[in-house]
Amino acid sequence: MDTSNSAVSGRRTFAIISHPDAGKTTLTEKFLLFGGAIQVAGAVKSNKIRKTATSDFLDIEKQRGISVATSVMSFRYRDLQVNLLDTPGHKDFAEDTYRTLTAVDSVILVVDCVNGVEPQTEKLMEVCRMRKTPVIIFINKLDREGQNPFDLLDEIEQKLNIKVRPMSWPISMGFTFKGVYNLHKKGLYMFDPGKKVTEADLLPIESLEDPLLDEKAGKHAAQLREDVHLVDGVYGGFDKEEYLNADAAPVFFGSALNNFGIKDMLDTFVEIAPPPGSREAQERIVQPDEKPFTGFIFKIHANIDPRHRDRIAFVRVCSGKFRRGKMYHHTRLGKALRFNNPYSFLAREKNVVDEALPGDVIGLYDTGNFKIGDTLTEGEHLQFKGIPRFSPEIFREVVNADPMKSKQLDKGTAQLTDEGVAQLFTHPMGSKKIIGTVGELQFEVIQHRLLNEYGASCKFVPLNVYKACWITSDNADKLDEFTRFKMHQIVYDKDGHLVYLADNSWMLDQMIKNNPEIEFHFTSESL
Ligand code: G4P
């Protein structure tokens, strides 16, 4: 395998994010078809977790298992190696998505033209903004009657707090959807709903006055002329630097289901999306073209076979070359580890890989050595930064339901929270354990897995907690005073950081106002 700069610069690692049902799975599949990674439509299983009235826990785990196989999908497109990292479709697993976003170099955001910007999209974009991840936006389902494109772009700018730069513009929508005008290539892509696999060719037009436009778009030509005139006046032109700095997002319109607008976007994506970049560790900044291997764990997935407690830890390679069977240094444990069967993933196939380069993601079998955020090197002591934890939204106390199995319960909760299924907080006094999650579903998954994998049973007692904030201060006395004053609401996270559990938003606002010397953090990233 080539280790030269060109091998690094020839890689694009990205994720597709969306609100559930906006069309992420459909778009993924079309990308894989273009990349030749799959031959038939329907080969990519949705990783959506469907919770029906009869859904049992095993079902949830099985459905989650499907997403292991599609965790990373790699394909070649126009001489580039493209790595597409999958993100869970269910909102209760949003933390998984946040972490996956730390392992990509750019993002494609899918917005449904009927529903517009939905709450989950806002949160995901917040993470992209925090990390300055470049974003391309795909407005999907133009074959349906959606909102006016100007209104949609307004909503995106306001709610997602990013400037938009339309690259194409739709000619009508819904039943009368005719296609798009590519503002940069100055040509038309006409929509033919019958044509499912290859995208129609660009029809160049001299100018918007070209009679070909009237011929192709009929009575919608006048509207397009008016719209494009307005677009030119309202939005600035595309500037690659603005995109790379995450200040502006290029926008495409299309229909994933009809394979329309996808190739145009993919061609632009491979031209503008950034290759693997440098990465900040606590000690220094690591460049992708450094020779020694470095990488970090951003996701841990339990195997679905309950007889084995093996897990798969996903590593993003940051520099150098990872080699199968070589000894690597686990920096947190100070331990040497060898991986004989690292995996790469392609659609539903799992293959053993011999080598991996910056931007690649490999799956390592883990028997309990890894935590989210762990760093692997060839010996250097490094700890990559930036695997944030977010303030959870639902809190419950874990109560042991089987006193004979308290050790198992402790071990199970510790390991499951290392995997990032949920966050664990402990009271400084006594052994009260609190689990915080972003969704209800995790509690069911935890309860089920504790019983099946660790033989421990527990109950969850709901707690009246609104938010958990990490607290720090430059003034140690003030921090000490605050933690004593709020003793019953102070807990430690797994890394021993102090956390304040606020009952409600009013109380939290009061605390922030009345304690100017204490900093309240809503993600662990700034600690
Ligand atoms: P997700 O991964 O973001 O959750 O969305 P997914 O691709 O599963 O798409 C959600 C639904 O929207 C699917 O329909 C899919 O067929 C449909 N869809 C995706 N792109 C388009 C589009 O361009 N136009 C239209 N009209 N629909 C689109 P479903 O009925 O929920 O699922 P299925 O039975 O078709 O798989």
Side-chain angles (χ1 to χ4, degrees):
M1 192 188 271
D2 191 0
T3 52
S4 62
N5 282 352
S6 68
V8 176
S9 60
R11 278 173 155 66
R12 299 290 179 274
T13 301
F14 79 111
I16 304 180
I17 55 174
S18 74
H19 189 89
D21 277 340
K24 179 170 66 75
T25 311
T26 315
L27 181 63
T28 302
E29 183 167 285
K30 299 302 188 271
F31 275 176
L32 295 184
L33 281 168
F34 279 121
I38 55 168
Q39 266 65 46
V40 287
V44 179
K45 282 276 163 286
S46 164
N47 68 5
K48 239 177 287 177
I49 293 166
R50 295 191 170 83
K51 198 176 173 214
T52 60
T54 58
S55 134
D56 62 29
F57 310 112
L58 260 185
D59 205 35
I60 297 170
E61 280 306 279
K62 260 193 222 133
Q63 291 182 43
R64 251 166 89 65
I66 293 169
S67 70
V68 174
T70 59
S71 283
V72 191
M73 291 161 277
S74 303
F75 58 94
R76 291 201 70 81
Y77 190 73
R78 292 197 3 205
D79 290 338
L80 290 179
Q81 162 87 10
V82 183
N83 299 321
L84 167 51
L85 272 53
D86 198 12
T87 53
H90 197 288
K91 77 165 179 35
D92 285 8
F93 292 93
E95 280 254 358
D96 271 7
T97 305
Y98 305 153
R99 284 191 292 260
T100 299
L101 292 180
T102 65
V104 300
D105 302 304
S106 71
V107 154
I108 292 182
L109 169 69
V110 186
V111 174
D112 178 335
C113 74
V114 182
N115 297 325
V117 175
E118 294 166 274
Q120 203 175 328
T121 322
E122 288 181 48
K123 200 136 184 212
L124 292 169
M125 263 304 289
E126 215 177 289
V127 180
C128 292
R129 249 200 333 273
M130 214 164 84
R131 313 189 57 78
K132 288 202 150 288
T133 308
V135 177
I136 295 179
I137 297 174
F138 183 70
I139 300 190
N140 191 26
K141 306 197 186 179
L142 264 285
D143 58 321
R144 297 184 56 194
E145 298 297 333
Q147 300 177 36
N148 173 295
F150 286 105
D151 293 345
L152 274 168
L153 294 186
D154 268 2
E155 192 185 350
I156 290 172
E157 288 205 319
Q158 274 167 26
K159 289 196 177 160
L160 303 183
N161 204 0
I162 189 160
K163 287 183 267 180
V164 294
R165 300 287 181 249
M167 306 295 274
S168 66
W169 198 260
I171 310 170
S172 187
M173 60 167 61
F175 282 126
T176 55
F177 180 49
K178 292 280 174 207
V180 296
Y181 171 64
N182 187 304
L183 296 147
H184 289 261
K185 296 182 194 157
K186 307 255 185 269
L188 301 168
Y189 285 107
M190 300 313 296
F191 177 58
D192 176 359
K195 223 173 178 179
K196 293 269 175 194
V197 178
T198 43
E199 180 145 314
D201 295 328
L202 181 81
L203 284 176
I205 52 171
E206 296 261 311
S207 75
L208 283 168
E209 303 317 315
D210 194 326
L212 188 63
L213 176 60
D214 298 280
E215 188 188 311
K216 294 288 173 190
K219 65 176 179 148
H220 303 287
Q223 184 67 50
L224 179 72
R225 289 188 180 108
E226 204 177 293
D227 285 357
V228 172
H229 196 67
L230 205 57
V231 166
D232 284 344
V234 173
Y235 305 102
F238 172 70
D239 173 344
K240 192 170 164 187
E241 282 310 303
E242 262 191 332
Y243 158 70
L244 292 175
N245 289 330
D247 290 329
V251 180
F252 289 86
F253 290 84
S255 165
L257 189 64
N258 291 289
N259 205 357
F260 186 81
I262 313 286
K263 189 169 177 298
D264 194 18
M265 175 171 66
L266 185 56
D267 285 337
T268 306
F269 167 81
V270 293
E271 267 165 37
I272 64 172
S278 58
R279 219 151 250 270
E280 209 180 328
Q282 264 160 24
E283 297 74 8
R284 65 185 184 87
I285 293 184
V286 177
Q287 301 298 337
D289 53 2
E290 288 180 21
K291 246 191 144 84
F293 159 76
T294 62
F296 68 90
I297 312 286
F298 65 93
K299 167 170 163 165
I300 296 178
H301 206 301
N303 248 350
I304 44 171
D305 185 348
R307 287 165 303 171
H308 301 284
R309 212 177 283 157
D310 287 359
R311 311 184 291 180
I312 297 178
F314 290 87
V315 182
R316 147 98 193 202
V317 180
C318 298
S319 70
K321 189 195 275 182
F322 175 95
R323 287 193 174 84
R324 171 153 91 109
K326 195 174 163 179
M327 281 295 199
Y328 287 113
H329 179 60
H330 183 311
T331 62
R332 180 177 55 87
L333 300 179
K335 197 168 165 179
L337 296 174
R338 188 202 304 275
F339 305 96
N340 290 323
N341 291 309
Y343 283 104
S344 75
F345 304 83
L346 190 136
R348 288 152 88 188
E349 278 171 41
K350 206 164 69 173
N351 302 302
V352 172
V353 284
D354 291 322
E355 294 173 349
L357 288 177
D360 288 344
V361 168
I362 42 175
L364 304 177
Y365 268 114
D366 172 39
T367 47
N369 283 314
F370 289 120
K371 262 197 204 187
I372 301 280
D374 279 348
T375 302
L376 285 174
T377 68
E378 289 191 14
E380 181 179 356
H381 189 80
L382 272 184
Q383 174 62 49
F384 281 108
K385 277 188 177 174
I387 306 282
R389 273 168 294 134
F390 293 84
S391 179
E393 284 155 27
I394 309 172
F395 300 84
R396 300 211 175 131
E397 185 185 340
V398 191
V399 177
N400 190 359
D402 180 354
M404 304 298 286
K405 298 278 172 65
S406 60
K407 262 200 185 134
Q408 284 86 336
L409 181 67
D410 286 350
K411 186 170 176 191
T413 32
Q415 288 202 347
L416 294 185
T417 47
D418 278 352
E419 266 178 40
V421 179
Q423 292 183 48
L424 181 66
F425 302 101
T426 344
H427 238 274
M429 295 168 309
S431 55
K432 191 164 152 184
K433 285 192 167 61
I434 294 168
I435 284 187
T437 68
V438 290
E440 289 284 341
L441 203 51
Q442 271 105 331
F443 288 103
E444 296 179 28
V445 172
I446 292 168
Q447 208 164 31
H448 171 78
R449 288 189 54 195
L450 281 173
L451 190 62
N452 279 267
E453 294 170 32
Y454 300 87
S457 54
C458 71
K459 281 193 268 188
F460 291 114
V461 180
L463 294 175
N464 183 24
V465 176
Y466 160 72
K467 236 181 183 73
C469 313
W470 286 269
I471 48 171
T472 56
S473 176
D474 292 334
N475 184 336
D477 290 341
K478 280 276 178 228
L479 193 61
D480 196 45
E481 192 186 306
F482 182 80
T483 51
R484 268 187 289 115
F485 172 55
K486 286 276 149 200
M487 197 160 57
H488 298 291
Q489 284 159 283
I490 299 290
V491 289
Y492 288 114
D493 74 1
K494 284 196 86 170
D495 301 320
H497 296 300
L498 279 174
V499 176
Y500 165 62
L501 303 177
D503 310 340
N504 54 52
S505 69
W506 181 84
M507 190 59 108
L508 180 58
D509 288 345
Q510 290 300 307
M511 287 301 132
I512 295 174
K513 211 164 90 193
N514 297 338
N515 295 279
E517 286 194 71
I518 307 241
E519 281 186 62
F520 294 77
H521 311 263
F522 296 97
T523 80
S524 65
E525 188 154 65
S526 46
L527 296 182

